[in-house]
């Protein structure tokens, strides 16, 4: 159950269903109601038809206003989904507006001789703080609250659909009791979902527009995901909150009432 969850599109990458996983207490997440993707700026007309067929009710765009202005999403002509945007961070935290891989690319552009090990270390550092960014925390809280309403199929996206989106999806999965192995498997599906080379090329173009020329090997690393990056989130979660349950409770406000609503809306069987 990997490639069958991927919606093969031409100009929107990493578009996939993150439902279908077994949850604690029995049942599985519904299929066809939980979607994730990268940005829709490059959507073809055929892509827009395929997206329209999903009958999305909600779309949460985790990109900053700067990213949205640079690469506005194309939408189907009859697109009726309510689109919710992530807030921007305070001006003093402007660098935090960048996607983690773009922030790492900016570091690499400043130090063009960085080797792959240094780039991976930069991604680990960026991930160690991503789940505490005020704008991402607020967006994930909103995402969970919206999903709990059960209004219909939803989409969450960012630039590449792998870092901020990956964190949001992972936290939803954890809140519903998806096994940690499945949470990681869904996160890593970025590396094989759809036309990976087309996604890497598109991501490189976006990163060059944001950060300037960066070594291709470095950018290729940053357009993928690695287990150690998500593990960096978990390491800080354990240090600061005693584990994922503490983070869900203390940071995202996930209580039993919200879990019950999410389960009623998203779990079947």
């Amino acid at each position: 159950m990997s490639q069958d969850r991927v919606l093969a599109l031409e100009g929107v990458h990493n578009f996939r269903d993150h439902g279908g996983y077994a949850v604690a207490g029995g049942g599985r997440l519904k299929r066809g109601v939980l979607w994730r993707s990268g940005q829709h700026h490059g959507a073809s007309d055929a892509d827009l038809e395929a997206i329209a067929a999903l009958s999305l009710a909600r779309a949460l765009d985790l990109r900053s206003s700067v990213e949205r202005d640079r690469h506005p999403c194309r939408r189907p002509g009859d697109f009726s989904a309510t689109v919710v945007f992530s807030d921007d961070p305070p001006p003093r935290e402007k660098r935090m507006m960048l996607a983690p891989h773009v922030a790492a690319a900016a570091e690499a552009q400043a130090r063009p001789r960085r080797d792959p090990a240094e780039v991976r270390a930069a991604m680990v550092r960026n991930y160690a703080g991503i789940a505490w960014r005020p704008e991402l925390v607020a967006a994930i809280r909103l995402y969970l609250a919206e999903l709990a309403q059960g209004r219909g199929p939803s989409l969450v996206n960012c630039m590449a659909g792998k870092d901020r989106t990956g964190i949001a999806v992972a936290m939803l999965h954890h809140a519903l009791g998806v096994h940690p192995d499945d949470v990681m498997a869904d996160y890593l599906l970025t590396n094989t979902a759809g036309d990976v080379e087309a996604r890497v090329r598109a991501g490189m173009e976006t990163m060059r527009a944001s950060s300037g020329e960066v070594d291709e090997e470095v950018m290729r690393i940053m357009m993928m995901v690695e287990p150690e990056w998500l593990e960096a989130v978990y390491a800080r979660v354990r240090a600061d909150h005693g584990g994922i349950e503490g983070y869900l409770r203390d940071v995202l406000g996930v209580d039993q009432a919200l879990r019950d609503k999410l389960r009623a809306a998203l779990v079947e069987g």
Side-chain angles (χ1 to χ4, degrees):
M1 193 173 61
S2 56
Q3 291 303 316
D4 73 317
R5 63 176 59 247
V6 178
L7 187 62
L9 301 178
E10 298 169 339
V12 182
H13 303 291
N14 211 5
F15 202 120
R16 47 195 170 93
D17 185 337
H18 58 277
Y21 297 108
V23 300
R28 289 182 175 273
L29 295 180
K30 296 176 182 178
R31 295 293 302 268
V33 299
L34 293 167
W35 297 95
R36 56 179 292 179
S37 77
Q39 63 190 9
H40 294 208
H41 176 70
S44 68
D45 290 344
D47 292 345
L48 296 182
E49 290 184 16
I51 292 169
L54 301 178
S55 299
L56 295 173
R58 291 289 185 275
L60 173 60
D61 191 334
L62 296 173
R63 298 176 302 160
S64 69
S65 61
V66 173
E67 293 171 296
R68 297 194 304 269
D69 289 344
R70 285 177 177 169
H71 298 95
C73 283
R74 292 194 70 203
R75 303 292 190 190
D78 58 351
F79 192 69
S80 60
T82 299
V83 182
V84 181
F85 300 116
S86 177
D87 293 333
D88 283 341
R92 67 181 181 279
E93 299 174 353
K94 184 176 180 180
R95 186 174 175 277
M96 293 175 67
M97 295 169 66
L98 300 175
H101 61 287
V102 176
E107 292 181 38
Q109 198 272 341
R111 296 176 55 196
R113 293 187 178 181
R114 301 182 82 189
D115 62 28
E118 290 179 301
V119 173
R120 290 185 170 95
M123 289 299 296
V124 168
R125 288 195 302 273
N126 288 330
Y127 261 77
I130 184 176
W132 287 263
R133 290 183 180 182
E135 76 280 8
L136 185 57
V137 168
I140 295 175
R141 291 177 70 115
L142 178 61
Y143 177 55
L144 298 177
E146 287 285 338
L147 290 177
Q149 299 303 312
R151 294 189 175 100
S154 68
L155 169 74
V156 58
N157 76 274
C158 56
M159 180 190 292
K162 69 185 189 73
D163 298 322
R164 291 165 290 184
T165 295
I167 297 297
V169 169
M171 295 311 156
L172 169 67
H173 284 166
H174 283 300
L176 282 166
V178 173
H179 193 280
D181 290 348
D182 288 333
V183 176
M184 181 63 77
D186 190 84
Y187 172 75
L188 294 176
L189 188 56
T190 282
N191 294 337
T192 57
D195 189 337
V196 175
E197 288 304 310
R199 180 180 62 79
V200 170
R201 288 193 302 271
M204 287 179 175
E205 291 175 5
T206 300
M207 282 197 288
R208 285 192 175 107
S210 301
S211 304
E213 191 65 33
V214 181
D215 178 79
E216 183 169 336
E217 181 183 7
V218 166
M219 286 196 290
R220 182 170 289 275
I221 292 170
M222 290 183 292
M223 284 308 300
M224 299 297 183
V225 292
E226 299 186 6
E228 292 77 13
W229 303 351
L230 191 56
E231 289 293 349
V233 174
Y234 296 146
R236 183 171 167 189
V237 161
R238 289 190 294 271
D240 291 2
H241 303 281
I244 191 67
E245 289 301 314
Y247 172 85
L248 291 171
R249 180 189 65 244
D250 300 339
V251 179
L252 297 183
V254 176
D255 57 15
Q256 191 58 51
L258 178 57
R259 290 179 196 268
D260 290 344
K261 289 181 180 179
L262 287 168
R263 185 177 180 89
L266 301 174
V267 177
E268 61 186 1

